[in-house]
Amino acid sequence: MKQRLHDDMTAALKARDEIRKSTLRMALTAVTKAEVAGKEARELSDAEILDVLGSEAKKRRESVIAYRDAGRAELADKEQAEADILAEYLPEQLTAEEIAVLVTETIAETGAADLGPRGIGKVMGALQPKVKGKADGGAVSAEVKRQLGA
């Protein structure tokens, strides 16, 4: 995965694609930072690299919302372009309907329907492994709360 990012950045450099080059350079920097974090440096697995890219993409999505709310469309567009580039490297994201179905199934599996709002933690704990990297945690949490009546 890291090699793919590096190769794509090199291709963007040769193609003079500034936004792709800077986004991939930023992604590689984030991966390198994650590799040297902690007590000793280590090579990240592809799954760990996907986690890093996912958090970077989330930062971009949050920035888009903040810039749009502040009336800064040009900055929001730049952040959106970066988020779109990062999305190419991430697994396909779940739709709202798919999240709703997963939440309904998980509530049934855990028996949390009887608990109401107190069952949120139980459902989220069971749901996290299923949606990790494939859906925004905020969207999943909102759907769980909606279905449990919180």
Side-chain angles (χ1 to χ4, degrees):
M1 178 58 98
K2 188 175 179 182
Q3 187 61 45
R4 177 180 167 207
L5 287 169
H6 195 275
D7 292 346
D8 290 352
M9 186 188 74
T10 303
L13 189 67
K14 290 177 182 175
R16 298 184 191 278
D17 185 347
E18 286 300 316
I19 188 79
R20 180 171 291 278
K21 178 190 75 171
S22 66
T23 301
L24 294 176
R25 184 171 281 154
M26 170 275 311
L28 282 166
T29 300
V31 169
T32 302
K33 272 186 174 176
E35 286 178 335
V36 298
K39 293 188 184 278
E40 61 182 63
R42 63 188 181 85
E43 191 78 21
L44 293 182
S45 68
D46 284 353
E48 292 170 317
I49 290 173
L50 286 176
D51 288 344
V52 171
L53 294 179
S55 68
E56 290 298 321
K58 182 179 180 189
K59 288 178 193 175
R60 298 305 172 288
R61 289 191 301 271
E62 291 170 351
S63 295
V64 167
I65 294 167
Y67 284 137
R68 291 216 193 289
D69 290 348
R72 301 291 307 267
E74 70 285 349
L75 292 173
D77 292 342
K78 179 183 180 291
E79 293 289 324
Q80 184 62 54
E82 290 179 1
D84 292 344
I85 291 168
L86 290 172
E88 295 172 16
Y89 297 90
L90 298 172
E92 192 66 35
Q93 297 293 296
L94 297 172
T95 64
E97 295 80 27
E98 291 169 326
I99 291 171
V101 168
L102 272 173
V103 169
T104 304
E105 290 171 358
T106 306
I107 288 173
E109 288 170 13
T110 59
D114 304 334
L115 298 174
R118 292 179 306 168
I120 292 173
K122 191 174 189 179
V123 174
M124 287 300 290
L127 204 52
Q128 278 308 110
K130 298 177 186 177
V131 299
K132 186 167 174 54
K134 294 187 250 173
D136 179 46
V140 174
S141 177
E143 181 61 25
V144 170
K145 288 176 184 173
R146 187 186 71 73
Q147 289 193 25
L148 289 177

